[in-house]
Amino acid sequence: MITDQHRMFREANDPVIYFKKKRAEYYSIFQKYCHGATLAHIFGEIICQKLKEPIEQSVYKKTARDLTYEMRTNCESLNGNRSNLEKHILKTLAEKEDFDKYMNYIHNPRDHFKSFIRDEVSRYITDKFRVSVLPKMKENIELLQQKIMKAAHESTEHVQVNSGDVGLWLKSFTQQLSDELIFSVKDLRAVKHDDVDDFSFLEDVIRQELPPVISDISSRFNTETFPGKLDYTFRPGELLIDHFCQCCWVQCPFCGAVCTNTIENHDGDHSIAFHRVRGINGTYSHSTKNLCADFCTNLVASDQYLYTPDGRFPCRDYRTAGGVYADWSITPDLTEVPYWKWFVCRFQKHLEKYYSKTFERKE
């Protein structure tokens, strides 16, 4: 993210990069001056060139929003709530059997969710680019081209009816595009245009010069430029992260399972339907120093004790330990989730090496 933001900042503010990007544009204008082009012709071309980056940004942003909605509908892992997303995360983890990824999920759940969402989005864009992403981009840029020409035509009519000047034409033109483009009269402040008075000709120039600009932008539509041309916060992955990750991420003090409440900083207790084997979070027995092989839902139904820096507390009354324990509601339950039992069996040696402890042996 920092690398992308730095690149975009340099492209927007480094004068050397800026003038390299503008070289072809300025040379084209210079040629037209040399060939006796009218001021209206040159001004019309400058408008089209100035519109190039705003058009590009608008198309990519609009497509990103459209794609986000499509993935929320059509992508199996992203078309439900956070619990559905987590189900797919656990399925993927089990299929890949990558211990390091499991540890990232267990100890850094929010980061893992974000990474998973970005991977799903990247895969979707790559797989669906020709059949879904590219058609959306082409449709959006065609609609934008039509809107720009309509704005130019209506601005010409507005000036003619009101006997206005080029300033009025520009004001009308930019206001009509303000909902779609980041483009204003200030962008043309350094361009001489006070003597432009043939607005019908100016409109014709824009009609002639805009299609090559649109064609140039369209020629660079591909899977690499799609994320690269977007500000980080407008990328589909980040939009989906905002949707899924604005929730509670407090982890169970026993097993590390994440509270399922969909509201961050919510009122009331933290809770979760399915807890995990405590040892996978590094929790160990106070007496044996071995990793615990039980579930915390079993623990709070037992006669065992909880040890904290503040003392020893009956596990049945874990809330009396205060602190993070007091904020959780854990229902006593002897049911054990098979998934996490499988995980411990599959990665027992990995876990023991990771925590430098062994699991409790039950006779």
Side-chain angles (χ1 to χ4, degrees):
M1 179 182 68
I2 293 172
T3 301
D4 287 343
Q5 295 283 19
H6 177 65
R7 174 184 55 77
M8 295 178 75
F9 178 82
R10 281 199 63 201
E11 288 179 357
N13 296 278
D14 189 312
V16 175
I17 294 175
Y18 176 82
F19 282 112
K20 281 183 179 179
K21 288 168 63 178
K22 295 295 182 181
R23 181 182 296 167
E25 173 190 334
Y26 291 156
Y27 183 63
S28 174
I29 294 169
F30 174 71
Q31 283 181 309
K32 286 181 170 55
Y33 267 119
C34 293
H35 287 90
T38 64
L39 187 59
H41 192 133
I42 294 168
F43 185 55
E45 182 172 347
I46 291 174
I47 289 175
C48 291
Q49 291 297 329
K50 293 285 186 181
L51 283 170
K52 190 172 184 177
E53 287 190 20
I55 290 171
E56 195 171 54
Q57 280 296 305
S58 177
V59 169
Y60 280 96
K61 285 181 184 178
K62 178 66 165 60
T63 305
R65 289 194 297 269
D66 294 343
L67 194 59
T68 301
Y69 177 78
E70 180 180 298
M71 285 187 286
R72 288 277 294 117
T73 304
N74 298 336
C75 187
E76 189 178 359
S77 63
L78 302 172
N79 66 1
N81 55 22
R82 188 179 71 167
S83 295
N84 175 70
L85 175 59
E86 185 163 25
K87 178 184 72 175
H88 285 275
I89 288 175
L90 292 173
K91 178 176 180 288
T92 302
L93 286 169
E95 289 171 346
K96 293 184 177 179
E97 296 191 37
D98 187 321
F99 179 73
D100 290 335
K101 288 188 181 297
Y102 263 112
M103 287 297 97
N104 180 256
Y105 164 75
I106 290 166
H107 293 291
N108 306 290
R110 191 195 300 232
D111 289 344
H112 192 87
F113 268 71
K114 290 180 179 181
S115 179
F116 183 85
I117 291 170
R118 291 184 187 118
D119 288 344
E120 288 290 275
V121 170
S122 178
R123 187 181 304 108
Y124 190 92
I125 291 173
T126 300
D127 293 345
K128 304 286 187 181
F129 188 78
R130 290 293 172 188
V131 297
S132 182
V133 183
L134 187 58
K136 283 182 174 61
M137 298 181 83
K138 289 183 175 180
E139 179 184 1
N140 287 332
I141 202 168
E142 287 170 6
L143 290 172
L144 196 52
Q145 181 178 359
Q146 293 169 12
K147 184 159 187 175
I148 291 170
M149 288 314 310
K150 181 181 178 184
H153 179 69
E154 292 184 356
S155 296
T156 298
E157 288 186 338
H158 180 66
V159 168
Q160 290 172 344
V161 169
N162 292 279
S163 301
D165 58 7
V166 67
L168 182 62
W169 188 95
L170 278 174
K171 182 179 180 181
S172 173
F173 181 70
T174 55
Q175 282 180 344
Q176 289 183 66
L177 298 176
S178 60
D179 290 341
E180 299 284 344
L181 301 175
I182 302 175
F183 180 72
S184 69
V185 176
K186 293 179 180 179
D187 294 316
L188 296 162
R189 197 162 40 191
V191 181
K192 179 175 173 59
H193 56 266
D194 293 342
D195 296 331
V196 174
D197 54 10
D198 190 343
F199 303 108
S200 294
F201 181 64
L202 177 60
E203 181 186 337
D204 289 339
V205 172
I206 294 174
R207 184 176 289 105
Q208 175 187 342
E209 297 293 338
L210 188 60
V213 171
I214 298 295
S215 178
D216 183 47
I217 295 171
S218 300
S219 69
R220 295 193 297 275
F221 288 164
N222 58 60
T223 54
E224 292 181 1
T225 60
F226 184 73
K229 289 289 184 180
L230 277 168
D231 184 271
Y232 197 79
T233 55
F234 295 112
R235 294 178 185 178
E238 304 314 306
L239 296 175
L240 286 165
I241 284 171
D242 285 343
H243 172 76
F244 282 107
C245 296
Q246 297 297 323
C247 51
C248 185
W249 289 98
V250 176
Q251 294 181 259
C252 173
F254 292 108
C255 70
V258 178
C259 173
T260 52
N261 198 297
T262 56
I263 301 174
E264 197 167 10
N265 300 318
H266 60 87
D267 294 330
D269 295 329
H270 299 298
S271 64
I272 185 173
F274 303 108
H275 287 262
R276 307 168 184 166
V277 176
R278 292 194 293 144
I280 68 172
N281 192 43
T283 304
Y284 60 89
S285 168
H286 181 78
S287 57
T288 66
K289 306 301 181 184
N290 291 329
L291 293 171
C292 298
D294 59 352
F295 287 76
C296 40
T297 46
N298 302 153
L299 182 69
V300 296
S302 72
D303 294 325
Q304 296 184 53
Y305 286 89
L306 167 66
Y307 294 87
T308 75
D310 295 324
R312 189 181 78 159
F313 303 88
C315 289
R316 291 179 182 274
D317 301 318
Y318 65 91
R319 285 177 179 270
T320 59
V324 293
Y325 296 98
D327 297 331
W328 274 84
S329 174
I330 304 173
T331 303
D333 187 354
L334 298 180
T335 303
E336 298 180 348
V337 182
Y339 184 95
W340 294 112
K341 293 178 72 175
W342 166 83
F343 171 73
V344 172
C345 291
R346 170 63 181 83
F347 293 104
Q348 180 176 337
K349 291 182 179 179
H350 295 76
L351 288 163
E352 290 176 341
K353 182 179 179 181
Y354 186 86
Y355 293 115
S356 299
K357 288 180 175 59
T358 58
F359 273 93
E360 293 176 339
R361 308 295 184 199
K362 291 187 178 180
E363 300 299 332

